[in-house]
Amino acid sequence: MSKAEIFKRYLIFTVGLFISSFGVAVITKADLGTSPISAIPYVLSLYYPLTLGEFTIIFSVLLIVIQLIILRKNFKAEYFLQLPVSIAFGYFIDFSMFLLKMLSPDMYVVKLLFLLVGCLILGIGVYMEVLANVVMLPGESFVRAIVMTLKKEFGTMKITFDVTMTLAAAALSFVFMSHLAGVREGTVIAALLVGAIARFIGKHLDFLPEKLFASVSRAEDLVEELIHEDAEEIKNENVRYGIRTEEAYGD
């Protein structure tokens, strides 16, 4: 993979990460329950003084540590990239929540609209992260670790993981606040819609990876070809005038 392609992929991933965080913030502002992966951090942020983004970072680090324990020597060095990504994602969430701090819908219809728009935004962000294909977020990477260990299907384990996160968040809300908080119908809707939206976009933009990344490779191949042709031309000129290549370059 060329440097230009790596840069482009990480740029797309970073933009996708921010869009995802903004989607999480919009869903959270709908006040109908947040997405499954954010459910536990959100419930904890309702009880403790830390923000949703800060608890997201803490929870992500916990998932990374569990991956280390599960995978042991199979935990690749590149998986540590989840750490800076988690920190960035957490702060992106807090920044997005700051941008939306004046928004607080009261009517249920408006809340539902916020939820659906948030799911759409989050779905676009997830698609961009998948498109970039450089780093997995700790939630998906944790599921991958389980799949690698138990030899199960990723889709099945992802559903199991989302359900577990949702139930755990609901249990925590009863423990800390004695009532259900942070987990509602919006959590279920987000779980069903976000992945479907990302897959829909991917299906209809299946030409995009080749357009984005193949063009970079082709451009670099063209540059290399031109450099090679120039070198050959210089060499041929040197031979024509009886000059050795080494002499021409002072070697």
Side-chain angles (χ1 to χ4, degrees):
M1 193 182 297
S2 66
K3 290 181 180 179
E5 182 174 335
I6 291 172
F7 174 78
K8 182 178 282 190
R9 286 181 181 274
Y10 275 97
L11 179 61
I12 292 171
F13 178 83
T14 303
V15 173
L17 194 67
F18 178 74
I19 291 174
S20 293
S21 70
F22 194 79
V24 169
V26 174
I27 291 172
T28 304
K29 277 292 183 177
D31 197 29
L32 294 177
T34 191
S35 59
I37 188 62
S38 299
I40 290 177
Y42 181 55
V43 168
L44 292 175
S45 73
L46 294 176
Y47 186 77
Y48 290 103
L50 296 181
T51 65
L52 171 59
E54 289 167 339
F55 269 120
T56 297
I57 294 171
I58 294 170
F59 184 61
S60 296
V61 171
L62 176 62
L63 290 179
I64 295 170
V65 171
I66 297 175
Q67 289 175 57
L68 271 167
I69 295 171
I70 293 174
L71 295 177
R72 298 181 184 179
K73 62 182 181 181
N74 292 322
F75 189 94
K76 299 178 182 179
E78 64 198 52
Y79 294 171
F80 282 110
L81 286 173
Q82 296 173 73
L83 186 57
V85 166
S86 301
I87 294 171
F89 188 52
Y91 284 116
F92 280 164
I93 289 175
D94 281 347
F95 181 63
S96 298
M97 292 292 286
F98 171 77
L99 293 177
L100 300 173
K101 66 179 180 179
M102 301 301 292
L103 299 178
S104 184
D106 293 323
M107 295 177 59
Y108 186 83
V109 175
V110 179
K111 289 184 176 184
L112 189 60
L113 180 62
F114 264 64
L115 173 67
L116 296 177
V117 171
C119 288
L120 176 61
I121 295 171
L122 182 53
I124 293 171
V126 169
Y127 166 73
M128 292 182 69
E129 293 167 18
V130 173
L131 174 66
N133 192 27
V134 285
V135 187
M136 268 189 173
L137 288 176
E140 285 70 28
S141 192
F142 177 83
V143 174
R144 177 181 60 188
I146 298 295
V147 169
M148 290 170 62
T149 304
L150 300 181
K151 311 299 182 186
K152 299 290 185 179
E153 184 189 7
F154 186 89
T156 302
M157 293 308 302
K158 182 66 169 66
I159 294 172
T160 303
F161 176 76
D162 286 346
V163 171
T164 303
M165 295 300 99
T166 302
L167 293 176
L172 287 173
S173 70
F174 279 110
V175 169
F176 291 125
M177 290 163 278
S178 301
H179 66 273
L180 186 63
V183 178
R184 285 182 56 181
E185 63 270 30
T187 306
V188 178
I189 293 172
L192 294 174
L193 277 187
V194 172
I197 290 170
R199 287 191 296 272
F200 178 84
I201 297 172
K203 180 180 178 180
H204 287 79
L205 296 180
D206 57 351
F207 61 88
L208 200 54
E210 185 177 356
K211 290 286 186 182
L212 283 173
F213 306 125
S215 60
V216 174
S217 300
R218 283 197 298 269
E220 293 203 338
D221 289 342
L222 180 59
V223 170
E224 294 242 350
E225 185 179 338
L226 289 173
I227 292 173
H228 179 71
E229 287 178 358
D230 286 345
E232 284 295 321
E233 186 175 343
I234 291 171
K235 183 178 178 181
N236 291 335
E237 287 293 321
N238 289 340
V239 171
R240 183 183 302 171
Y241 292 105
I243 304 171
R244 292 190 302 117
T245 304
E246 293 80 358
E247 291 174 351
Y249 288 96
D251 291 332

